[in-house]
Structure formats: structure tokens, C-alpha cells
């Protein structure tokens, strides 16, 4: 983990966010893109998360997956990013598919009813369409 900024100085927000959240887009097969997310999704990291979701949704692939298996905390700001991503995907006639395996992520989605906006999956293989 990075050293804290000395008193009287401030680390850039994007740099600080990168200490708590990692994202990467992969394309495991033609027509499918997967955004892998690792870390905490909260107010500090929401902008980084939003940029990654936008990159995923704005891509050409018809199958859009957000793999949240590495997420240890999902705050309301993260839910807002997912909702915005779902609406952006809907505008291009796509639906976001979420891979969710932990209570830390599933519970906020279920409590808010946000889970209804997505196709929920337990692993990436199923989310990208299995072997078809």
C-alpha cells in the first residue's frame, strides 16, 4: 500500500482511489467484454469505477459483464455507478450482467432492489454465455 501523504500535502484523488480499487477490462471471447473489479467501491473510488464502467458500456461488445467477485465493499456511490451503467447499456439495447459471489455486494443490491436492473450470475463463464 502507498505511503500516506505528508501533512500539509494532498495526494491526487485518482492516485488515492487507485490504492483501494483496481479495474481491468478483458475480452475473453468475441462479442464479450468483462470489467474485473477488485477492492472497495465507495465515495473515494466511485469516479474511477464510473470511468471503468463507462469504458465497458461504450465499447462495441454486445455482452457486457461486471465481475464484482473481488469487491470487498459496495457503498451507495457504487450502486449509483452501476445504475447509471445499466441505463447507458439499455440505451444501446444491452443489459449489464453482474458476477456477484459475496454478501458484501449482493446485500446492497438486493436491499435497494437494484439487482432487478441486471442479469445476476455466480461466475464469469455463465455471465458471458457459457460454451455457446
Amino acid at each position: 500500500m502507498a505511503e500516506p501523504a505528508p501533512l500539509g500535502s494532498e495526494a491526487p484523488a485518482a492516485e488515492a482511489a487507485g490504492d483501494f480499487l483496481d479495474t481491468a477490462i478483458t475480452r475473453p471471447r468475441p462479442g464479450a467484454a468483462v470489467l474485473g473489479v477488485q477492492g472497495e467501491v465507495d465515495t473515494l473510488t466511485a469516479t474511477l469505477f464510473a470511468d471503468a464502467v463507462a469504458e465497458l458500456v461504450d465499447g462495441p461488445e454486445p455482452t457486457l459483464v461486471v465481475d464484482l467477485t473481488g469487491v470487498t465493499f459496495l457503498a451507495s456511490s457504487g450502486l449509483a455507478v452501476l445504475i447509471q451503467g445499466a441505463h447507458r447499456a439499455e440505451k444501446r439495447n444491452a443489459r449489464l450482467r453482474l458476477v456477484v459471489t459475496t454478501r458484501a455486494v449482493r446485500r446492497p443490491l438486493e436491499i435497494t432492489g437494484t439487482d432487478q436492473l441486471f442479469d445476476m450470475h455466480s461466475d464469469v463463464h455463465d455471465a458471458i454465455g457459457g460454451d455457446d
Side-chain angles (χ1 to χ4, degrees):
M1 182 172 271
E3 291 292 317
L7 288 177
S9 70
E10 294 184 27
E15 183 180 311
D19 289 343
F20 299 101
L21 187 73
D22 289 319
T23 62
I25 295 177
T26 59
R27 289 167 177 80
R29 69 175 211 178
V34 178
L35 170 61
V37 185
Q38 300 277 327
E40 301 172 3
V41 182
D42 57 19
T43 303
L44 178 65
T45 61
T47 300
L48 179 62
F49 184 47
D51 291 346
V53 169
E55 182 180 345
L56 173 74
V57 173
D58 292 344
E61 293 83 8
T63 302
L64 306 171
V65 178
V66 180
D67 180 2
L68 299 169
T69 58
V71 172
T72 56
F73 180 76
L74 181 64
S76 60
S77 52
L79 289 173
V81 169
L82 289 171
I83 291 166
Q84 291 169 350
H87 292 307
R88 284 177 80 156
E90 195 173 86
K91 287 180 182 175
R92 58 171 275 214
N93 296 317
R95 185 167 163 102
L96 279 184
R97 302 171 185 199
L98 303 184
V99 178
V100 177
T101 59
T102 65
R103 186 175 193 276
V105 175
R106 183 175 301 281
R107 188 80 173 131
L109 289 164
E110 291 174 345
I111 287 173
T112 60
T114 307
D115 60 330
Q116 301 302 307
L117 296 173
F118 309 98
D119 293 332
M120 305 286 282
H121 298 273
S122 59
D123 63 54
V124 171
H125 180 75
D126 287 340
I128 63 170
D131 295 321
D132 53 50

